[in-house]
Amino acid sequence: MMRALWKPWYVYRPNQLVRRLAGLARHPRSEYAPQTAAWGLTLFADPTEHIGRSLRTTGIYDLAVSEMLFRLVRSGDLMIDAGANIGYMTLLGAVASGPAGRVIAFEPNPDLFSILQSNIATSRSRIGMADVEARQTALGTAPGRATLVLPDPAAGNNGLAYIPRVTHVEAGRRTVEVIVETVDAVIQAQSVGVMKIDVEGYERPLLEGASLALEQGRIRDIVFEDHQGAGSESAAYLQAAGYKVFAFGWSMRGLVLADSRPGARLASAYEAPSYLATREPDEAIRACKRPGWRSLRRQTRPRLAA
């Protein structure tokens, strides 16, 4: 029991533990309701789904990625969120980038896009943050259309929609046709500070659609989930484009960053493995060395009246 409670989100925020224990007696309903993140934002999330459940019980979703984005996103940056879901990472990036920044969020799942839009609009009216553009599209190798396979509701994770790399789709699965864009076409000649990617196995086609920006070094940092682990085709593609790839995870004191090597895993068993590809490895190492947690402290500020 003590080992389960020896986590940064409880040790650094003991009030969260009180809320967790108080909530054990209540069974949440499957509906979108306000959930507050440790770093200050309140957004609508379903407490029976993956993100909402994590916010309800710990006050944070994907601690390592949340912290990495707070460390890497700089004031005024353009951030891309590929696979925005309900907007948790989108809005985190908008807070980190600040009013001078900009975020482009891509979420093709029509079941989630309206929630994403609502969370953006509500947050924009309350807090100071970057301008956010939400696009109901997927990112891939070339413009066009693709089949998006929607998640099984029984999985309790509405972020598991995926575009199959092969034509076969399991019988009985819900699908929807979605528009596909490319990163290069969307950003054109702009530079991107941070691109976060969570696209359930579609990383390589997405990166191919960003080939010009990658080759020209106009995307500084890329934070991506990759279940293939170190040595994946996505990591190899990024390394060939001139990026240094790190694996990262967390310890009680803060982020842990290490060279990405086959067989090495820094993520906890219950977390998806995440990686950082960067054009500025020395700066990334410096940013991650600082102990402590920005993501477990309030980072939001009220929106100033016009």
Side-chain angles (χ1 to χ4, degrees):
M1 178 64 175
M2 288 302 298
R3 183 176 181 182
L5 299 179
W6 188 247
K7 298 291 191 298
W9 44 85
Y10 297 138
V11 173
Y12 287 81
R13 299 182 68 246
N15 286 344
Q16 182 64 46
L17 178 58
V18 174
R19 286 191 287 270
R20 171 70 185 274
L21 294 175
L24 291 177
R26 299 194 301 269
H27 298 285
R29 292 185 295 179
S30 179
E31 62 181 9
Y32 283 92
Q35 308 291 332
T36 301
W39 43 273
L41 183 83
T42 297
L43 71 164
F44 285 92
D46 184 341
T48 68
E49 289 278 350
H50 189 50
I51 295 176
R53 182 167 55 250
S54 184
L55 288 173
R56 175 176 173 266
T57 57
T58 70
I60 194 78
Y61 170 66
D62 203 333
L63 176 64
V65 173
S66 295
E67 186 67 23
M68 182 63 76
L69 292 180
F70 268 127
R71 301 292 183 97
L72 295 180
V73 176
R74 303 171 188 172
S75 178
D77 267 349
L78 168 60
M79 173 182 158
I80 289 178
D81 188 359
N85 200 285
I86 62 172
Y88 172 88
M89 297 295 180
T90 297
L91 294 167
L92 188 157
V95 169
S97 184
R102 183 172 172 231
V103 179
I104 309 175
F106 297 84
E107 180 46 63
N109 185 341
D111 295 340
L112 297 177
F113 189 72
S114 61
I115 306 298
L116 170 65
Q117 288 182 304
S118 177
N119 280 328
I120 291 169
T122 302
S123 299
R124 181 184 290 129
S125 69
R126 295 176 178 174
I127 63 173
M129 66 180 204
D131 180 61
V132 180
E133 177 187 356
R135 301 173 76 99
Q136 193 178 350
T137 57
L139 289 169
T141 304
R145 292 184 176 271
T147 297
L148 182 72
V149 181
L150 300 177
D152 181 351
N157 187 347
N158 55 21
L160 295 179
Y162 69 95
I163 297 175
R165 300 281 294 273
V166 295
T167 56
H168 173 73
V169 176
E170 183 181 346
R173 296 297 298 271
R174 290 191 306 144
T175 63
V176 63
E177 186 178 64
V178 298
I179 297 170
V180 178
E181 301 185 281
T182 69
V183 172
D184 281 334
V186 172
I187 68 170
Q188 298 183 20
Q190 297 177 88
S191 293
V192 175
V194 179
M195 180 162 67
K196 170 243 143 188
I197 303 174
D198 183 358
V199 292
E200 300 300 319
Y202 211 64
E203 299 84 13
R204 176 63 183 266
L206 183 156
L207 293 171
E208 290 175 352
S211 59
L212 182 61
L214 294 174
E215 290 168 5
Q216 294 178 351
R218 287 189 288 106
I219 303 178
R220 186 183 68 235
D221 298 312
I222 302 170
V223 176
F224 64 105
E225 177 183 299
D226 194 335
H227 290 275
Q228 295 182 38
S232 71
E233 59 176 354
S234 299
Y237 189 86
L238 288 165
Q239 289 168 330
Y243 286 79
K244 169 69 175 176
V245 179
F246 296 96
F248 68 91
W250 56 269
S251 69
M252 183 60 72
R253 295 184 66 250
L255 280 174
V256 178
L257 189 71
D259 287 343
S260 178
R261 296 189 179 91
R265 178 189 173 101
L266 293 182
S268 300
Y270 52 84
E271 296 173 327
S274 294
Y275 299 87
L276 166 65
T278 180
R279 283 281 186 168
E280 299 182 3
D282 291 341
E283 179 60 26
I285 291 170
R286 186 197 66 78
C288 293
K289 272 186 176 180
R290 296 191 296 269
W293 299 101
R294 287 190 61 188
S295 57
L296 296 178
R297 304 193 308 270
R298 177 175 289 276
Q299 302 294 327
T300 57
R301 298 290 184 272
R303 182 176 180 270
L304 297 177

